[in-house]
Amino acid sequence: MEAPPREGTGEARRAKAQAIRDEVLSRWPKVNVDLSIKPDAWGGTYWYLDSIVVPKGERSRGVGSEVMRFLTEKADQGGVTMTLTPRTDFGATSVPRLRRFYGRFGFKRNLGRNADSALTGAMIRRPARAAAGGGGGSGPTA
């Protein structure tokens, strides 16, 4: 039996991201989530959500909201910052509508006083614990 990858390595980040995707698939078999775990400038990591694709026949039924709730709760449990960039290339109809959708889960535009140039993504969400207790950077390693 192989030893698990060392924490913080690219291999460990890929394995953790795959485990999260697998958990989403086990709960929502028709939903495709593309999530990566990236290193930040402070030696920690953050989650970059590239896409959530809900099949057309499953849309407007709350499935995307359930998946987002699951992902944000998991990030909160780990004290991890999440980022994403809303785009329409996976079936969404407008970026402003996506911004409102993600805003319901605590994402804010990554500019002005919320800006963190060390993180990739047009929107950013700090973990609930960090938001309540302060803290800087992108949070602890995921």
Side-chain angles (χ1 to χ4, degrees):
M1 186 166 161
E2 285 185 43
R6 276 190 359 261
E7 186 71 29
T9 65
E11 186 180 345
R13 290 191 308 269
R14 283 188 294 279
K16 173 124 178 141
Q18 185 60 52
I20 294 166
R21 287 190 298 269
D22 289 346
E23 195 169 350
V24 168
L25 273 176
S26 74
R27 294 172 184 230
W28 301 277
K30 297 178 181 179
V31 175
N32 182 24
V33 170
D34 188 359
L35 174 84
S36 56
I37 300 175
K38 299 185 173 215
D40 66 20
W42 304 278
T45 59
Y46 66 98
W47 295 0
Y48 180 76
L49 181 60
D50 187 59
S51 63
I52 296 178
V53 181
V54 177
K56 280 189 178 181
E58 301 291 314
R59 293 181 189 164
S60 299
R61 297 182 182 175
V63 175
S65 293
E66 288 177 18
V67 173
M68 281 305 299
R69 208 169 358 268
F70 168 79
L71 291 172
T72 55
E73 286 173 4
K74 198 150 193 72
D76 288 346
Q77 290 167 2
V80 180
T81 294
M82 291 181 70
T83 68
L84 54 82
T85 298
R87 344 187 277 277
T88 58
D89 46 342
F90 293 103
T93 55
S94 83
V95 170
R97 185 174 174 204
L98 285 171
R99 283 189 197 121
R100 286 190 302 275
F101 172 76
Y102 292 123
R104 292 193 336 241
F105 300 96
F107 283 87
K108 302 200 181 312
R109 293 181 75 177
N110 190 9
L111 32 98
R113 66 184 185 116
N114 297 313
D116 190 334
S117 61
L119 304 178
T120 303
M123 295 187 81
I124 187 169
R125 180 188 184 276
R126 301 286 183 199
R129 282 194 314 233
S138 64
T141 300

